[in-house]
Coordinates of all heavy atoms in Angstrom, one line a residue:
Chain A
G15 N 47.3 19.5 106.3 CA 48.1 20.2 105.3 C 47.6 21.6 105.0 O 48.3 22.5 105.0
S16 N 46.2 21.7 104.9 CA 45.7 23.0 104.5 C 45.8 24.0 105.8 O 46.0 25.1 105.6 CB 44.2 22.9 104.1 OG 43.4 22.6 105.2
R17 N 45.7 23.4 106.9 CA 45.8 24.2 108.2 C 47.3 24.8 108.2 O 47.5 25.9 108.5 CB 45.5 23.4 109.4 CG 45.6 24.1 110.7 CD 45.1 23.3 111.9 NE 45.9 22.1 112.0 CZ 45.5 21.0 112.7 NH1 44.3 21.1 113.3 NH2 46.2 20.0 112.8
K18 N 48.2 23.9 107.9 CA 49.6 24.3 108.0 C 49.8 25.5 107.0 O 50.5 26.5 107.3 CB 50.5 23.2 107.7 CG 52.0 23.5 107.9 CD 52.9 22.5 107.2 CE 53.3 21.4 108.1 NZ 54.4 20.6 107.5
E19 N 49.3 25.4 105.8 CA 49.4 26.4 104.8 C 48.7 27.7 105.2 O 49.2 28.8 104.9 CB 49.0 25.9 103.4 CG 49.9 24.8 102.8 CD 51.4 25.2 103.0 OE1 51.8 26.3 102.6 OE2 52.1 24.3 103.5
Q20 N 47.6 27.6 105.8 CA 46.9 28.7 106.3 C 47.7 29.5 107.3 O 47.8 30.7 107.3 CB 45.6 28.3 107.0 CG 44.3 28.3 106.1 CD 43.1 27.9 106.9 OE1 42.9 26.7 107.2 NE2 42.3 28.9 107.3
V21 N 48.3 28.7 108.3 CA 49.1 29.3 109.3 C 50.4 30.0 108.6 O 50.8 31.1 109.0 CB 49.6 28.3 110.3 CG1 50.6 28.8 111.3 CG2 48.4 27.8 111.1
R22 N 51.0 29.3 107.7 CA 52.1 29.8 107.0 C 51.8 31.1 106.3 O 52.5 32.1 106.3 CB 52.7 28.8 106.0 CG 54.1 29.2 105.4 CD 54.4 28.4 104.2 NE 54.2 27.0 104.3 CZ 55.0 26.1 104.9 NH1 56.2 26.6 105.4 NH2 54.7 24.9 104.9
Q23 N 50.6 31.1 105.7 CA 50.2 32.3 104.9 C 50.0 33.5 105.9 O 50.5 34.6 105.6 CB 48.9 32.1 104.2 CG 48.5 33.2 103.3 CD 47.2 32.8 102.5 OE1 46.6 31.8 102.7 NE2 46.9 33.7 101.6
F24 N 49.4 33.3 107.1 CA 49.2 34.3 108.0 C 50.6 34.9 108.5 O 50.8 36.1 108.6 CB 48.4 33.8 109.2 CG 48.3 34.8 110.3 CD1 47.3 35.9 110.2 CD2 49.1 34.8 111.5 CE1 47.2 36.8 111.2 CE2 49.0 35.7 112.5 CZ 48.0 36.8 112.3
I25 N 51.5 33.9 108.9 CA 52.8 34.3 109.4 C 53.5 35.1 108.3 O 54.1 36.2 108.6 CB 53.6 33.1 109.8 CG1 52.9 32.5 111.1 CG2 55.0 33.5 110.1 CD1 53.5 31.2 111.5
T26 N 53.5 34.7 107.1 CA 54.2 35.4 106.0 C 53.6 36.7 105.7 O 54.4 37.7 105.6 CB 54.2 34.5 104.7 OG1 54.7 33.2 105.1 CG2 55.1 35.1 103.7
E27 N 52.3 36.7 105.5 CA 51.7 38.0 105.0 C 51.4 39.0 106.1 O 51.2 40.2 105.8 CB 50.4 37.6 104.3 CG 50.7 36.8 103.0 CD 49.5 36.4 102.2 OE1 48.4 36.8 102.6 OE2 49.6 35.7 101.2
V28 N 51.2 38.5 107.3 CA 50.9 39.5 108.4 C 52.0 39.7 109.4 O 52.5 40.8 109.6 CB 49.6 39.0 109.2 CG1 49.3 40.0 110.3 CG2 48.4 38.8 108.2
L29 N 52.6 38.6 109.9 CA 53.6 38.8 111.0 C 55.0 39.2 110.4 O 55.7 40.0 110.9 CB 53.7 37.6 111.8 CG 52.5 37.1 112.6 CD1 52.8 36.0 113.5 CD2 51.9 38.3 113.4
A30 N 55.3 38.5 109.3 CA 56.7 38.7 108.8 C 56.8 39.9 107.8 O 57.9 40.3 107.5 CB 57.2 37.5 108.1
K31 N 55.7 40.4 107.4 CA 55.6 41.5 106.4 C 56.5 42.7 106.9 O 56.3 43.2 107.9 CB 54.2 42.0 106.2 CG 54.0 42.8 104.9 CD 52.5 43.1 104.7 CE 52.3 43.9 103.5 NZ 50.9 44.3 103.3
G32 N 57.4 43.1 106.0 CA 58.2 44.3 106.3 C 59.4 44.1 107.2 O 60.2 45.0 107.5
R33 N 59.5 42.9 107.8 CA 60.6 42.7 108.7 C 61.9 42.3 108.0 O 63.0 42.7 108.5 CB 60.3 41.6 109.7 CG 59.2 42.0 110.7 CD 58.9 41.0 111.7 NE 57.9 41.4 112.6 CZ 58.1 42.0 113.8 NH1 59.3 42.1 114.3 NH2 57.1 42.4 114.6
G34 N 61.8 41.6 107.0 CA 63.0 41.3 106.2 C 64.0 40.4 106.9 O 65.2 40.4 106.5
T35 N 63.6 39.7 108.0 CA 64.6 38.9 108.7 C 64.7 37.5 108.2 O 65.6 36.8 108.5 CB 64.3 38.9 110.2 OG1 62.9 38.6 110.4 CG2 64.6 40.2 110.8
L36 N 63.6 37.0 107.6 CA 63.6 35.7 107.0 C 63.3 35.8 105.5 O 62.9 36.8 105.0 CB 62.5 34.8 107.7 CG 62.7 34.5 109.2 CD1 61.5 33.7 109.7 CD2 64.0 33.6 109.3
A37 N 63.5 34.7 104.8 CA 63.2 34.6 103.4 C 61.7 34.9 103.2 O 60.9 34.6 104.1 CB 63.6 33.3 102.9
P38 N 61.3 35.3 102.0 CA 59.9 35.6 101.8 C 59.0 34.4 102.0 O 57.9 34.6 102.6 CB 59.9 36.0 100.3 CG 61.2 36.4 99.9 CD 62.1 35.7 100.8
T39 N 59.5 33.2 101.7 CA 58.7 32.0 102.0 C 59.3 31.4 103.3 O 60.5 31.1 103.3 CB 58.8 31.0 100.9 OG1 58.3 31.6 99.7 CG2 57.9 29.8 101.2
I40 N 58.5 31.2 104.3 CA 59.0 30.7 105.5 C 58.9 29.2 105.5 O 57.8 28.6 105.3 CB 58.2 31.3 106.7 CG1 58.4 32.8 106.8 CG2 58.6 30.7 108.0 CD1 57.6 33.6 107.7
A41 N 60.1 28.6 105.7 CA 60.1 27.1 105.7 C 59.6 26.6 107.1 O 59.5 27.3 108.1 CB 61.6 26.7 105.5
D42 N 59.3 25.3 107.0 CA 58.7 24.6 108.2 C 59.6 24.8 109.4 O 59.1 25.0 110.5 CB 58.5 23.1 107.9 CG 57.3 22.9 107.0 OD1 56.7 23.9 106.6 OD2 57.0 21.7 106.7
A43 N 60.9 24.7 109.2 CA 61.8 24.6 110.4 C 62.4 26.0 110.8 O 63.1 26.1 111.7 CB 62.9 23.6 110.1
D44 N 62.1 27.0 110.0 CA 62.6 28.4 110.3 C 62.2 28.8 111.8 O 61.1 28.6 112.2 CB 62.1 29.4 109.4 CG 62.8 29.4 108.0 OD1 63.9 28.7 108.0 OD2 62.3 29.9 107.1
N45 N 63.2 29.3 112.5 CA 62.9 29.7 113.9 C 62.2 31.1 113.9 O 62.9 32.1 113.6 CB 64.2 29.7 114.7 CG 63.9 29.9 116.2 OD1 63.1 30.7 116.6 ND2 64.5 29.0 117.0
L46 N 61.0 31.1 114.2 CA 60.2 32.3 114.2 C 60.5 33.3 115.3 O 60.3 34.5 115.2 CB 58.7 31.9 114.2 CG 58.2 31.0 113.2 CD1 56.8 30.5 113.5 CD2 58.3 31.6 111.8
I47 N 61.0 32.7 116.4 CA 61.3 33.6 117.6 C 62.7 34.3 117.3 O 62.8 35.5 117.4 CB 61.4 32.7 118.9 CG1 60.0 32.1 119.1 CG2 61.8 33.6 120.0 CD1 60.0 31.1 120.2

Side-chain angles (χ1 to χ4, degrees):
Chain A
S16 71
R17 182 172 58 197
K18 188 197 269 190
E19 289 317 307
Q20 267 182 282
V21 172
R22 190 194 315 278
Q23 189 177 2
F24 175 79
I25 290 171
T26 307
E27 293 180 2
V28 178
L29 298 187
K31 196 175 179 184
R33 290 184 181 260
T35 47
L36 290 178
T39 303
I40 296 171
D42 286 1
D44 282 344
N45 192 311
L46 304 172
I47 299 171

